């Protein structure tokens, strides 16, 4: 089966609280917007060993090779904490 095409929408990354697409920093929660970028069904935060997981429904997000904790995910939006 051929994987579905994925693409970012607009600037693609925005502050989750203000939707500002200015610079991001470690510890900030950001939203990524796109087409087919997340899981087919909505997923919520998963906790393992008192930490938010960096893999949820086979979805992962990396910043410079460092996995980001996933707060929420769906096909068109993923909210993560910048590591």
């Amino acid at each position: 089966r051929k994987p579905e095409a994925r693409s970012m929408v607009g600037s693609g990354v925005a502050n989750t609280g203000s939707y500002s697409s200015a610079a991001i920093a470690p510890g900030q929660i950001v939203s990524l917007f796109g087409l087919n970028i997340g899981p087919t069904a909505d997923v919520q935060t998963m906790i393992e060993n008192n930490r938010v997981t960096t893999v949820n429904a086979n979805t992962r997000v990396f910043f410079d090779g460092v996995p980001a904790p996933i707060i929420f995910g769906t096909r068109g939006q993923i909210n993560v904490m910048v590591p």
Side-chain angles (χ1 to χ4, degrees):
R1 179 178 139 184
K2 183 178 175 184
E4 295 183 41
R6 291 172 165 76
S7 65
M8 299 299 281
V9 174
S11 64
V13 180
N15 177 296
T16 300
S18 68
Y19 292 109
S20 168
S21 59
I24 59 174
Q28 183 176 6
I29 298 176
V30 296
S31 297
L32 298 102
F33 298 99
L35 301 173
N36 299 317
I37 62 169
T40 55
D42 293 359
V43 295
Q44 302 297 320
T45 305
M46 289 180 53
I47 306 288
E48 283 183 6
N49 299 319
N50 295 319
R51 295 180 159 263
V52 176
T53 61
T54 57
V55 179
N56 198 329
N58 293 319
T59 299
R60 299 176 102 186
V61 175
F62 294 89
F63 288 83
D64 293 328
V66 179
I70 298 174
I71 310 294
F72 168 81
T74 190
R75 289 179 74 88
Q77 177 180 346
I78 303 172
N79 295 352
V80 299
M81 180 180 292
V82 180

